[in-house]
Amino acid sequence: QIHLLQSGAEVKKPGASVKVSCKASGYTFSSYGITWVRQAPGQGLEWMGWISAKNGNTKYAQKFQGRVTMTTDTATSTAYMELRSLRSDDTAAYYCTRDTQIFDPQYGYFDLWGRGTQVTVSS
Amino acid sequence: DIQMTQSPSSLSASVGDRVTISCRASQTIISFLNWYQQKPGEAPKLLIYAASNLQSGVPSRFSGSGSGTDFTLTISSLQPEDFATYYCQQSYSSVNFGQGTRLEIK
């Protein structure tokens, strides 16, 4: 069965970091990219960035440049998204998605989604 | 940056209705436009890719059309399970989503 299994909910204090994992199964991990999308409570979808599961190349949304790092571990078919210097407005559900683009996020779409990881930032 | 604007932001309709949702890009995105459906408490689901291609497993009552800057998602005959929020997404220049269209039961 093809799916993306995300790590569990997190509660963090402002200024801390969070690292969310996304384990792929049922398909060849290195044949796709992974895109991360977040959704604040009651809000729309926001693209955070993309990583190639083949070569580890990344592209991040300008908004998150310098604060986010996306990585992959091909041995375990797992993608990671680390967000640093957390603020209250980072409170959101974070989704990993399978991106059809392997070398660049251009022209891609997201055909498989994880169930989301809730990250709450609160003092 | 390309801005994606969906209309309407919300819509009330009845089972069996034909519904159209529009998505407009601030500049041409050729046909690199995708549509997603999201139900409360769930992850989004891909419906249409590259403007008009139906994702495997998606009912044929869903269809997409358009090119350039103007795109449409059509549901030919609403079913109870179709009441959800719909998002368009472009990937021609960077990636971003429309603000969403909430489809509610009339």
Side-chain angles (χ1 to χ4, degrees), chain A residues 16-38:
Chain A
S17 299
V18 68
K19 191 170 187 177
V20 179
S21 67
C22 170
K23 182 173 176 58
S25 60
Y27 72 93
T28 302
F29 183 66
S30 58
S31 294
Y32 293 84
I34 294 286
T35 279
W36 290 87
V37 173
R38 77 177 187 179

Side-chain angles (χ1 to χ4, degrees), chain A residues 9-75:
Chain A
E10 304 261 14
V11 179
K12 297 291 184 181
K13 293 193 181 302
S17 299
V18 68
K19 191 170 187 177
V20 179
S21 67
C22 170
K23 182 173 176 58
S25 60
Y27 72 93
T28 302
F29 183 66
S30 58
S31 294
Y32 293 84
I34 294 286
T35 279
W36 290 87
V37 173
R38 77 177 187 179
Q39 186 172 38
Q43 301 302 307
L45 303 172
E46 181 174 31
W47 183 73
M48 299 183 69
W50 164 94
I51 182 167
S52 169
K54 184 172 181 65
N55 59 23
N57 286 351
T58 55
K59 282 199 176 179
Y60 301 138
Q62 192 165 3
K63 174 177 180 176
F64 300 103
Q65 287 275 3
R67 207 160 67 93
V68 70
T69 300
M70 297 175 187
T71 56
T72 57
D73 179 345
T74 54

